């Protein structure tokens, strides 16, 4: 991993890691953990979703999520090869599962603290493209690769600070959610391209132009897991980020919104 800098000695405009690293360093006392759930879709070399009938569609969604067996899941060989490659490379990968739409999968990176989250996810993405190449497959991170009554692809972002993990931490989670509500539009702006195609209020999403939260609510912007609501501590899940979002921008604005921004750089 390396950052991109311009010839004048300043970070490139697409070097989102630079400011993210500064934010993580400024607020390192909170020991913020992240876990990102990367959804993606597999296509063949002719841009057909893997496993779908040529020129047609599979059966309706329902039997594919976390499925097993022929006709339920496709390309498990690619998915497991990628998982093993991540383990070998030292990427903190914690799981894989088939998704709601056939031909769509997810892998989870984390928990990682601070800047490590973005580093590990970008490396995992690179390895996924590289492994898929060996099988003649293409990887799409588009948030709505197939229009219609099919789930989109997200990058659900799980967040937990040291304060949230302590007894009574739910009050810190609720305070963070209130802060996130105030900056909903700013977050959406950096949560990935074409996200309006996905955040429609359907297919387990909240509407892009509104903010909501709730316990065990997969249709909300922010979900508090049922176990967290019961135990009164733990983490929350931001379900708004698109699958093509930049993890440095996502985790950076998350920390900025909850704990505050940076002092202006000194010239």
């Amino acid at each position: 991993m390396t950052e991109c800098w311009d010839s004048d000695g300043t970070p490139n405009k697409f070097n989102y890691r630079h400011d993210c690293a500064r934010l993580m360093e400024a607020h390192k006392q909170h020991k913020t953990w992240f876990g990102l759930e990367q959804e993606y879709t597999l296509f063949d070399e002719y841009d057909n979703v893997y496993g779908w009938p040529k020129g047609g569609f599979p059966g309706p969604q329902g039997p594919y999520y976390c499925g097993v067996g022929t006709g339920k899941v496709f390309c498990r060989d690619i998915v497991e090869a990628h998982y093993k490659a991540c383990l070998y490379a030292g990427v903190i990968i914690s799981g894989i599962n088939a998704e709601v739409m056939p031909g769509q999968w997810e892998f989870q990176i984390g928990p990682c603290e601070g800047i490590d989250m973005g580093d590990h996810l970008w490396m995992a993405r690179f390895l996924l493209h590289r492994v898929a190449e060996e099988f003649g497959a293409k990887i799409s991170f588009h948030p709505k690769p197939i229009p219609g009554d099919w789930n989109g692809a997200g990058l659900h972002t799980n967040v937990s600070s040291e304060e949230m993990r302590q007894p009574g931490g739910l009050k810190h989670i609720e305070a963070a959610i209130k802060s996130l509500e105030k900056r909903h539009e700013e977050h959406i702006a950096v949560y990935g391209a074409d996200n309006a195609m996905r955040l429609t209020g359907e297919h387990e999403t909240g509407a892009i132009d509104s903010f909501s939260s709730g316990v065990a609510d997969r249709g909300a912007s922010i979900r508090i897991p049922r176990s967290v609501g019961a135990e009164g501590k733990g983490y929350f899940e931001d379900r708004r980020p698109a699958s093509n979002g930049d993890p440095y921008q996502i985790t950076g604005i998350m920390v900025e919104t909850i704990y505050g921004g940076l002092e202006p750089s000194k010239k």
Side-chain angles (χ1 to χ4, degrees):
M1 292 291 295
T2 183
E3 290 188 17
C4 183
W5 288 62
D6 290 335
S7 57
D8 62 359
T10 59
N12 182 272
K13 65 180 180 179
F14 297 112
N15 178 3
Y16 302 122
R17 187 185 191 278
H18 178 70
D19 282 344
C20 180
R22 292 179 62 215
L23 280 162
M24 297 304 176
E25 178 64 23
H27 301 295
K28 62 183 179 181
Q29 70 272 24
H30 299 289
K31 298 181 180 178
T32 307
W33 295 354
F34 298 97
L36 267 59
E37 306 170 27
Q38 177 69 73
E39 296 178 338
Y40 61 95
T41 309
L42 289 141
F43 287 81
D44 65 21
E45 58 183 317
Y46 304 108
D47 295 324
N48 301 302
V49 180
Y50 249 111
W52 286 35
K54 295 296 186 287
F57 297 90
Q61 296 182 150
Y64 310 110
Y65 181 61
C66 295
V68 61
T70 301
K72 298 292 194 302
V73 295
F74 310 97
C75 299
R76 191 183 294 275
D77 49 356
I78 298 176
V79 173
E80 292 190 345
H82 169 248
Y83 187 77
K84 292 175 182 177
C86 285
L87 291 174
Y88 183 81
V91 173
I92 301 177
I93 188 168
S94 50
I96 53 176
N97 64 270
E99 268 301 329
V100 177
M101 187 182 85
Q104 189 181 84
W105 286 79
E106 172 186 301
F107 63 87
Q108 300 91 34
I109 299 296
C112 296
E113 186 172 330
I115 194 65
D116 286 348
M117 183 69 257
D119 292 348
H120 282 258
L121 184 64
W122 271 117
M123 186 56 67
R125 284 176 170 176
F126 163 75
L127 289 171
L128 180 59
H129 282 293
R130 184 64 186 83
V131 169
E133 176 189 326
E134 297 293 318
F135 291 83
K138 297 179 181 178
I139 301 298
S140 171
F141 292 120
H142 194 281
K144 189 69 175 180
I146 304 297
D149 192 18
W150 303 99
N151 274 36
L155 185 63
H156 297 159
T157 300
N158 299 281
V159 184
S160 176
S161 68
E162 186 171 45
E163 298 88 350
M164 296 175 191
R165 295 188 291 273
Q166 300 302 316
L170 185 60
K171 66 181 180 182
H172 295 283
I173 294 173
E174 292 171 340
I177 292 173
K178 288 182 180 179
S179 297
L180 291 169
E181 182 176 14
K182 295 175 183 177
R183 300 191 71 200
H184 176 66
E185 292 183 359
E186 291 96 322
H187 279 251
I188 290 296
V190 297
Y191 273 8
D194 297 315
N195 209 11
M197 298 173 67
R198 168 180 162 265
L199 295 180
T200 62
E202 299 180 348
H203 301 110
E204 300 180 290
T205 70
I208 195 169
D209 57 357
S210 63
F211 182 92
S212 60
S213 62
V215 175
D217 187 352
R218 290 178 174 269
S221 306
I222 307 293
R223 180 178 72 94
I224 297 175
R226 192 180 304 279
S227 61
V228 173
E231 296 175 11
K233 62 178 181 178
Y235 69 100
F236 67 87
E237 176 192 40
D238 189 339
R239 298 178 61 82
R240 295 172 294 173
S243 50
N244 58 11
D246 187 296
Y248 297 128
Q249 289 186 292
I250 294 168
T251 59
I253 196 172
M254 184 68 68
V255 167
E256 179 183 73
T257 295
I258 297 173
Y259 301 118
L262 294 167
E263 295 293 329
S265 299
K266 295 181 180 180
K267 300 288 186 180

